[in-house]
Short mmCIF file of all heavy atoms in Angstrom, two decimals:
data_model
loop_
_atom_site.label_atom_id
_atom_site.label_comp_id
_atom_site.label_asym_id
_atom_site.label_seq_id
_atom_site.Cartn_x
_atom_site.Cartn_y
_atom_site.Cartn_z
N THR A 1 -1.99 2.79 5.86
CA THR A 1 -1.00 1.71 5.81
C THR A 1 0.43 2.23 5.84
O THR A 1 1.34 1.50 6.26
CB THR A 1 -1.18 0.84 4.54
OG1 THR A 1 -1.04 1.66 3.38
CG2 THR A 1 -2.53 0.17 4.53
N ALA A 2 0.63 3.48 5.44
CA ALA A 2 1.98 4.05 5.48
C ALA A 2 2.54 4.11 6.89
O ALA A 2 3.76 4.25 7.07
CB ALA A 2 1.99 5.44 4.85
N ASN A 3 1.68 4.01 7.90
CA ASN A 3 2.19 3.95 9.27
C ASN A 3 3.09 2.73 9.48
O ASN A 3 4.03 2.79 10.27
CB ASN A 3 1.02 3.87 10.27
CG ASN A 3 0.39 5.22 10.56
OD1 ASN A 3 0.93 6.02 11.32
ND2 ASN A 3 -0.76 5.47 9.95
N ILE A 4 2.80 1.63 8.75
CA ILE A 4 3.55 0.39 8.99
C ILE A 4 4.33 -0.08 7.78
O ILE A 4 5.27 -0.87 7.92
CB ILE A 4 2.64 -0.73 9.52
CG1 ILE A 4 1.51 -1.05 8.53
CG2 ILE A 4 2.06 -0.35 10.87
CD1 ILE A 4 0.69 -2.27 8.92
N ILE A 5 3.97 0.37 6.57
CA ILE A 5 4.78 0.04 5.38
C ILE A 5 5.08 1.34 4.61
O ILE A 5 4.68 1.49 3.44
CB ILE A 5 4.08 -1.00 4.47
CG1 ILE A 5 2.64 -0.59 4.13
CG2 ILE A 5 4.12 -2.38 5.09
CD1 ILE A 5 2.05 -1.41 2.98
N PRO A 6 5.79 2.26 5.25
CA PRO A 6 6.03 3.56 4.60
C PRO A 6 6.84 3.47 3.33
O PRO A 6 6.55 4.16 2.35
CB PRO A 6 6.77 4.35 5.69
CG PRO A 6 7.39 3.32 6.58
CD PRO A 6 6.42 2.19 6.59
N ASP A 7 7.87 2.62 3.31
CA ASP A 7 8.72 2.51 2.12
C ASP A 7 7.91 2.02 0.91
O ASP A 7 8.00 2.58 -0.18
CB ASP A 7 9.89 1.55 2.39
CG ASP A 7 10.78 2.03 3.51
OD1 ASP A 7 10.45 1.75 4.68
OD2 ASP A 7 11.78 2.69 3.22
N ASP A 8 7.12 0.98 1.12
CA ASP A 8 6.36 0.42 0.01
C ASP A 8 5.25 1.36 -0.46
O ASP A 8 4.93 1.40 -1.66
CB ASP A 8 5.75 -0.93 0.42
CG ASP A 8 6.75 -2.07 0.35
OD1 ASP A 8 7.91 -1.82 -0.03
OD2 ASP A 8 6.37 -3.21 0.67
N THR A 9 4.65 2.09 0.47
CA THR A 9 3.60 3.03 0.07
C THR A 9 4.19 4.14 -0.79
O THR A 9 3.60 4.56 -1.80
CB THR A 9 2.89 3.61 1.29
OG1 THR A 9 2.48 2.55 2.17
CG2 THR A 9 1.65 4.39 0.89
N HIS A 10 5.35 4.61 -0.40
CA HIS A 10 6.07 5.59 -1.23
C HIS A 10 6.41 4.98 -2.60
O HIS A 10 6.18 5.61 -3.64
CB HIS A 10 7.35 6.04 -0.54
CG HIS A 10 8.32 6.72 -1.47
ND1 HIS A 10 8.28 8.07 -1.75
CD2 HIS A 10 9.35 6.21 -2.21
CE1 HIS A 10 9.22 8.37 -2.62
NE2 HIS A 10 9.89 7.27 -2.90
N ASP A 11 6.95 3.76 -2.58
CA ASP A 11 7.39 3.14 -3.82
C ASP A 11 6.23 2.87 -4.77
O ASP A 11 6.39 2.98 -6.00
CB ASP A 11 8.12 1.83 -3.52
CG ASP A 11 9.49 2.05 -2.90
OD1 ASP A 11 9.97 3.22 -2.89
OD2 ASP A 11 10.09 1.06 -2.42
N LEU A 12 5.07 2.51 -4.23
CA LEU A 12 3.89 2.28 -5.06
C LEU A 12 3.60 3.53 -5.90
O LEU A 12 3.34 3.43 -7.10
CB LEU A 12 2.69 1.94 -4.17
CG LEU A 12 1.41 1.40 -4.81
CD1 LEU A 12 0.51 0.79 -3.73
CD2 LEU A 12 0.62 2.46 -5.58
N CYS A 13 3.66 4.68 -5.23
CA CYS A 13 3.42 5.94 -5.95
C CYS A 13 4.56 6.27 -6.90
O CYS A 13 4.35 6.63 -8.07
CB CYS A 13 3.25 7.08 -4.95
SG CYS A 13 1.80 6.94 -3.87
N GLN A 14 5.79 6.16 -6.42
CA GLN A 14 6.94 6.57 -7.21
C GLN A 14 7.10 5.72 -8.47
O GLN A 14 7.45 6.24 -9.54
CB GLN A 14 8.22 6.51 -6.37
CG GLN A 14 9.41 7.21 -7.02
CD GLN A 14 9.13 8.68 -7.31
OE1 GLN A 14 8.70 9.42 -6.43
NE2 GLN A 14 9.36 9.09 -8.55
N LYS A 15 6.85 4.42 -8.34
CA LYS A 15 6.94 3.55 -9.51
C LYS A 15 5.93 3.99 -10.58
O LYS A 15 6.24 4.00 -11.77
CB LYS A 15 6.71 2.09 -9.12
CG LYS A 15 7.90 1.45 -8.42
CD LYS A 15 7.61 0.02 -8.04
CE LYS A 15 8.79 -0.60 -7.27
NZ LYS A 15 9.99 -0.72 -8.11
N PHE A 16 4.74 4.37 -10.14
CA PHE A 16 3.75 4.86 -11.10
C PHE A 16 4.25 6.12 -11.79
O PHE A 16 4.19 6.25 -13.01
CB PHE A 16 2.41 5.13 -10.41
CG PHE A 16 1.34 5.61 -11.35
CD1 PHE A 16 0.53 4.70 -12.02
CD2 PHE A 16 1.17 6.97 -11.60
CE1 PHE A 16 -0.44 5.13 -12.92
CE2 PHE A 16 0.20 7.41 -12.50
CZ PHE A 16 -0.61 6.49 -13.16
N PHE A 17 4.77 7.06 -10.99
CA PHE A 17 5.28 8.32 -11.56
C PHE A 17 6.43 8.07 -12.54
O PHE A 17 6.59 8.79 -13.52
CB PHE A 17 5.74 9.27 -10.45
CG PHE A 17 4.68 9.65 -9.46
CD1 PHE A 17 5.00 9.83 -8.12
CD2 PHE A 17 3.36 9.82 -9.85
CE1 PHE A 17 4.03 10.19 -7.20
CE2 PHE A 17 2.38 10.17 -8.94
CZ PHE A 17 2.72 10.35 -7.61
N ASP A 18 7.21 7.03 -12.25
CA ASP A 18 8.37 6.71 -13.09
C ASP A 18 8.00 5.89 -14.32
O ASP A 18 8.88 5.55 -15.12
CB ASP A 18 9.42 5.95 -12.28
CG ASP A 18 10.07 6.82 -11.20
OD1 ASP A 18 9.97 8.05 -11.30
OD2 ASP A 18 10.66 6.24 -10.26
N GLY A 19 6.73 5.54 -14.44
CA GLY A 19 6.29 4.76 -15.59
C GLY A 19 6.34 3.26 -15.41
O GLY A 19 6.04 2.51 -16.34
N ASP A 20 6.69 2.81 -14.20
CA ASP A 20 6.72 1.38 -13.92
C ASP A 20 5.34 0.96 -13.39
O ASP A 20 5.16 0.72 -12.20
CB ASP A 20 7.81 1.07 -12.89
CG ASP A 20 7.94 -0.42 -12.57
OD1 ASP A 20 7.24 -1.22 -13.22
OD2 ASP A 20 8.70 -0.75 -11.64
N ILE A 21 4.38 0.90 -14.28
CA ILE A 21 3.01 0.61 -13.89
C ILE A 21 2.89 -0.80 -13.31
O ILE A 21 2.17 -1.02 -12.33
CB ILE A 21 2.04 0.78 -15.08
CG1 ILE A 21 2.25 2.15 -15.75
CG2 ILE A 21 0.60 0.61 -14.63
CD1 ILE A 21 2.10 3.33 -14.82
N LYS A 22 3.59 -1.75 -13.89
CA LYS A 22 3.56 -3.13 -13.38
C LYS A 22 4.09 -3.19 -11.95
O LYS A 22 3.51 -3.85 -11.08
CB LYS A 22 4.39 -4.04 -14.29
CG LYS A 22 4.53 -5.49 -13.82
CD LYS A 22 3.21 -6.22 -13.84
CE LYS A 22 3.39 -7.74 -13.75
NZ LYS A 22 4.17 -8.20 -12.59
N GLY A 23 5.20 -2.50 -11.70
CA GLY A 23 5.76 -2.50 -10.35
C GLY A 23 4.82 -1.86 -9.35
O GLY A 23 4.66 -2.34 -8.21
N SER A 24 4.17 -0.78 -9.77
CA SER A 24 3.20 -0.11 -8.91
C SER A 24 2.02 -1.03 -8.64
O SER A 24 1.55 -1.15 -7.50
CB SER A 24 2.73 1.18 -9.58
OG SER A 24 1.77 1.85 -8.78
N MET A 25 1.54 -1.70 -9.68
CA MET A 25 0.41 -2.62 -9.53
C MET A 25 0.75 -3.77 -8.59
O MET A 25 -0.07 -4.17 -7.74
CB MET A 25 -0.02 -3.17 -10.89
CG MET A 25 -1.22 -4.10 -10.82
SD MET A 25 -1.55 -4.91 -12.41
CE MET A 25 -0.17 -6.05 -12.49
N ASP A 26 1.95 -4.29 -8.71
CA ASP A 26 2.36 -5.41 -7.85
C ASP A 26 2.31 -5.01 -6.38
O ASP A 26 1.86 -5.79 -5.53
CB ASP A 26 3.77 -5.87 -8.23
CG ASP A 26 3.81 -6.61 -9.56
OD1 ASP A 26 2.74 -7.00 -10.06
OD2 ASP A 26 4.93 -6.76 -10.11
N LEU A 27 2.77 -3.80 -6.08
CA LEU A 27 2.74 -3.34 -4.69
C LEU A 27 1.31 -3.09 -4.22
O LEU A 27 0.96 -3.36 -3.07
CB LEU A 27 3.58 -2.07 -4.54
CG LEU A 27 5.09 -2.27 -4.58
CD1 LEU A 27 5.81 -0.93 -4.61
CD2 LEU A 27 5.56 -3.09 -3.37
N GLN A 28 0.46 -2.55 -5.11
CA GLN A 28 -0.94 -2.33 -4.75
C GLN A 28 -1.63 -3.65 -4.43
O GLN A 28 -2.32 -3.79 -3.41
CB GLN A 28 -1.67 -1.63 -5.89
CG GLN A 28 -3.16 -1.40 -5.65
CD GLN A 28 -3.44 -0.33 -4.61
OE1 GLN A 28 -3.52 0.84 -4.93
NE2 GLN A 28 -3.58 -0.74 -3.36
N LEU A 29 -1.44 -4.64 -5.30
CA LEU A 29 -2.10 -5.92 -5.08
C LEU A 29 -1.53 -6.67 -3.88
O LEU A 29 -2.25 -7.35 -3.15
CB LEU A 29 -1.99 -6.78 -6.35
CG LEU A 29 -2.71 -6.21 -7.58
CD1 LEU A 29 -2.54 -7.15 -8.77
CD2 LEU A 29 -4.18 -5.95 -7.30
N LYS A 30 -0.24 -6.52 -3.66
CA LYS A 30 0.38 -7.15 -2.50
C LYS A 30 -0.23 -6.65 -1.20
O LYS A 30 -0.33 -7.39 -0.22
CB LYS A 30 1.89 -6.87 -2.49
CG LYS A 30 2.64 -7.47 -1.32
CD LYS A 30 4.12 -7.09 -1.35
CE LYS A 30 4.85 -7.64 -0.12
NZ LYS A 30 6.29 -7.22 -0.10
N ALA A 31 -0.66 -5.40 -1.19
CA ALA A 31 -1.16 -4.76 0.03
C ALA A 31 -2.65 -5.00 0.29
O ALA A 31 -3.15 -4.60 1.35
CB ALA A 31 -0.88 -3.26 -0.02
N ILE A 32 -3.36 -5.65 -0.64
CA ILE A 32 -4.81 -5.75 -0.51
C ILE A 32 -5.23 -6.47 0.78
O ILE A 32 -6.09 -5.98 1.53
CB ILE A 32 -5.42 -6.46 -1.73
CG1 ILE A 32 -5.26 -5.57 -2.98
CG2 ILE A 32 -6.90 -6.78 -1.50
CD1 ILE A 32 -5.97 -4.23 -2.91
N ASP A 33 -4.65 -7.61 1.06
CA ASP A 33 -5.03 -8.35 2.27
C ASP A 33 -4.66 -7.57 3.53
O ASP A 33 -5.40 -7.58 4.53
CB ASP A 33 -4.37 -9.72 2.30
CG ASP A 33 -5.00 -10.68 1.29
OD1 ASP A 33 -6.14 -10.41 0.85
OD2 ASP A 33 -4.35 -11.70 0.95
N LEU A 34 -3.54 -6.89 3.49
CA LEU A 34 -3.13 -6.06 4.63
C LEU A 34 -4.12 -4.92 4.83
O LEU A 34 -4.52 -4.62 5.97
CB LEU A 34 -1.72 -5.52 4.41
CG LEU A 34 -1.14 -4.66 5.53
CD1 LEU A 34 -1.02 -5.45 6.82
CD2 LEU A 34 0.22 -4.10 5.12
N CYS A 35 -4.55 -4.30 3.73
CA CYS A 35 -5.54 -3.23 3.82
C CYS A 35 -6.83 -3.73 4.44
O CYS A 35 -7.43 -3.07 5.30
CB CYS A 35 -5.83 -2.64 2.44
SG CYS A 35 -4.48 -1.68 1.73
N LYS A 36 -7.27 -4.91 4.03
CA LYS A 36 -8.50 -5.48 4.58
C LYS A 36 -8.37 -5.66 6.09
O LYS A 36 -9.29 -5.35 6.86
CB LYS A 36 -8.80 -6.83 3.92
CG LYS A 36 -9.29 -6.74 2.49
CD LYS A 36 -9.57 -8.14 1.95
CE LYS A 36 -10.06 -8.08 0.51
NZ LYS A 36 -10.28 -9.45 -0.04
N ALA A 37 -7.22 -6.16 6.53
CA ALA A 37 -7.01 -6.40 7.95
C ALA A 37 -6.95 -5.08 8.73
O ALA A 37 -7.43 -5.00 9.87
CB ALA A 37 -5.72 -7.19 8.17
N LEU A 38 -6.38 -4.06 8.11
CA LEU A 38 -6.25 -2.77 8.78
C LEU A 38 -7.58 -2.01 8.87
O LEU A 38 -7.66 -0.99 9.56
CB LEU A 38 -5.21 -1.90 8.06
CG LEU A 38 -3.75 -2.29 8.31
CD1 LEU A 38 -2.83 -1.53 7.37
CD2 LEU A 38 -3.35 -2.04 9.76
N PHE A 39 -8.58 -2.50 8.16
CA PHE A 39 -9.89 -1.85 8.21
C PHE A 39 -11.00 -2.83 8.60
O PHE A 39 -12.17 -2.57 8.35
CB PHE A 39 -10.20 -1.17 6.87
CG PHE A 39 -9.35 0.04 6.64
CD1 PHE A 39 -8.14 -0.06 5.96
CD2 PHE A 39 -9.73 1.29 7.12
CE1 PHE A 39 -7.34 1.05 5.76
CE2 PHE A 39 -8.93 2.40 6.92
CZ PHE A 39 -7.73 2.29 6.24
N CYS A 40 -10.61 -3.94 9.25
CA CYS A 40 -11.62 -4.91 9.70
C CYS A 40 -12.36 -4.40 10.93
O CYS A 40 -13.42 -4.92 11.29
CB CYS A 40 -11.00 -6.27 9.95
SG CYS A 40 -9.88 -6.36 11.36
N GLU A 41 -11.79 -3.42 11.61
CA GLU A 41 -12.49 -2.65 12.64
C GLU A 41 -12.27 -1.18 12.30
O GLU A 41 -11.43 -0.84 11.46
CB GLU A 41 -11.97 -2.97 14.04
CG GLU A 41 -12.36 -4.35 14.54
CD GLU A 41 -11.99 -4.58 16.00
OE1 GLU A 41 -11.87 -3.60 16.77
OE2 GLU A 41 -11.82 -5.76 16.36
N VAL A 42 -13.00 -0.31 12.96
CA VAL A 42 -12.94 1.10 12.60
C VAL A 42 -11.52 1.65 12.79
O VAL A 42 -10.85 1.36 13.78
CB VAL A 42 -13.97 1.91 13.41
CG1 VAL A 42 -13.60 1.97 14.89
CG2 VAL A 42 -14.13 3.31 12.85
N ASN A 43 -11.06 2.40 11.79
CA ASN A 43 -9.77 3.08 11.87
C ASN A 43 -9.82 4.13 13.00
O ASN A 43 -10.82 4.85 13.11
CB ASN A 43 -9.48 3.76 10.53
CG ASN A 43 -8.17 4.50 10.49
OD1 ASN A 43 -7.13 3.95 10.84
ND2 ASN A 43 -8.21 5.76 10.11
N PRO A 44 -8.77 4.23 13.84
CA PRO A 44 -7.45 3.61 13.74
C PRO A 44 -7.21 2.44 14.69
O PRO A 44 -6.05 2.19 15.05
CB PRO A 44 -6.54 4.77 14.09
CG PRO A 44 -7.29 5.48 15.18
CD PRO A 44 -8.75 5.38 14.78
N ILE A 45 -8.25 1.73 15.12
CA ILE A 45 -8.02 0.62 16.05
C ILE A 45 -7.01 -0.39 15.49
O ILE A 45 -6.01 -0.71 16.16
CB ILE A 45 -9.34 -0.06 16.44
CG1 ILE A 45 -10.19 0.87 17.32
CG2 ILE A 45 -9.08 -1.37 17.18
CD1 ILE A 45 -11.58 0.33 17.63
N PRO A 46 -7.21 -0.91 14.25
CA PRO A 46 -6.25 -1.91 13.78
C PRO A 46 -4.83 -1.38 13.55
O PRO A 46 -3.85 -2.06 13.88
CB PRO A 46 -6.88 -2.39 12.45
CG PRO A 46 -8.34 -2.09 12.60
CD PRO A 46 -8.36 -0.79 13.35
N VAL A 47 -4.71 -0.19 12.97
CA VAL A 47 -3.36 0.32 12.70
C VAL A 47 -2.65 0.64 14.01
O VAL A 47 -1.42 0.48 14.12
CB VAL A 47 -3.38 1.54 11.76
CG1 VAL A 47 -3.91 2.78 12.45
CG2 VAL A 47 -1.99 1.80 11.19
#
């Protein structure tokens, strides 16, 4: 997913490292539907 949302993928990790677990969780959950769509066919066809 970092191919198309690089900033958010970085921020998801960085927020966790910085102790902002809620912020990290929000980004993880926000990306769930996108992740499903990016793997609805074999990678890397969707991405």
Side-chain angles (χ1 to χ4, degrees):
T1 59
N3 279 283
I4 59 173
I5 52 166
D7 299 85
D8 280 359
T9 309
H10 164 86
D11 288 350
L12 192 165
C13 296
Q14 192 59 51
K15 285 179 183 294
F16 181 89
F17 301 145
D18 292 342
D20 182 6
I21 309 304
K22 176 66 164 56
S24 179
M25 182 188 71
D26 288 345
L27 286 172
Q28 178 72 87
L29 296 180
K30 179 183 177 183
I32 293 298
D33 287 342
L34 181 62
C35 290
K36 287 180 180 178
L38 285 170
F39 289 92
C40 68
E41 289 188 24
V42 68
N43 180 52
I45 291 174
V47 72

